[in-house]
Amino acid sequence: MSINILTLEEIEAITRVSLKNNFPLFREEHHVDASFLDPQMTYFYIGYNENPNCIKRERLESRTQFSLNVFLPTTCCLLYIELERSQRGKGLGWSLYETVHDIARKLNCYRVRQTPSGGFFKEGVMVMSRRDYLLQRGYVDATDTEVELMLQ
């Protein structure tokens, strides 16, 4: 299988196009970052943060953001995803997930994998775990702790 090697600029452009097409809260001034994690350029990091002044890989409290590690040619690992609290409950969270799925497809990955944690709370009580939410949305168990979505 041949692997298409991309530049960091191409990876960032793919990410921005996916955000623009899938996530209604995206603005051009938001921060998108990519960096290679191996010399063969087949393993890399992608980060998105609504704060245009964020430091690389910085996680800010209650911000809209995600972090990915991509292992070409197969897997996009979703390391972290968060939607700002004021935007929750509006269906925007799933559109952020769909953005990640779109990025993975454009990079020719055939699965998105993650270790879900936390969940959805109402009046301080968890009403659904993130794992259950993802299983309802088409993810399947991959390991004891991970779920994955096989992309079409």
Side-chain angles (χ1 to χ4, degrees):
M1 175 185 297
S2 174
I3 299 174
N4 184 22
I5 303 298
L6 301 169
T7 66
L8 293 177
E9 293 78 15
E10 289 170 321
I11 295 166
E12 290 175 11
I14 287 168
T15 302
R16 285 187 173 281
V17 167
S18 293
L19 281 158
K20 183 177 180 182
N21 292 340
N22 294 285
F23 189 58
L25 299 179
F26 175 69
R27 302 293 174 263
E28 287 297 326
E29 64 269 13
H30 290 178
H31 184 79
V32 173
D33 176 42
S35 58
F36 290 116
L37 301 173
D38 76 339
Q40 292 79 28
M41 300 185 299
T42 59
Y43 173 39
F44 49 89
Y45 164 85
I46 300 172
Y48 163 69
N49 192 308
E50 70 181 349
N51 181 347
N53 300 313
C54 78
I55 299 170
K56 187 176 184 177
R57 299 186 196 201
E58 177 183 12
R59 290 187 185 152
L60 300 174
E61 197 64 35
S62 189
R63 297 280 187 221
T64 300
Q65 57 192 322
F66 62 73
S67 297
L68 311 173
N69 276 353
V70 178
F71 301 86
L72 294 180
T74 62
T75 306
C76 175
C77 291
L78 179 55
L79 304 174
Y80 187 80
I81 190 167
E82 182 178 15
L83 185 65
E84 182 180 350
R85 291 189 199 289
S86 67
Q87 300 298 332
R88 295 177 187 175
K90 302 175 184 179
L92 295 167
W94 187 247
S95 69
L96 195 57
Y97 273 100
E98 288 178 324
T99 301
V100 170
H101 303 158
D102 189 56
I103 293 165
R105 278 187 199 94
K106 288 178 178 171
L107 295 172
N108 295 316
C109 292
Y110 60 82
R111 73 174 158 228
V112 175
R113 186 174 274 200
Q114 69 173 319
T115 304
S117 62
F120 302 89
F121 294 82
K122 188 170 190 173
E123 298 175 10
V125 176
M126 186 185 294
V127 294
M128 180 183 290
S129 72
R130 184 172 311 276
R131 180 184 198 87
D132 288 343
Y133 171 76
L134 292 170
L135 292 173
Q136 287 181 1
R137 292 290 193 144
Y139 279 74
V140 296
D141 287 317
T143 69
D144 289 344
T145 59
E146 293 178 311
V147 295
E148 69 182 14
L149 180 69
M150 300 304 288
L151 301 172
Q152 309 288 326

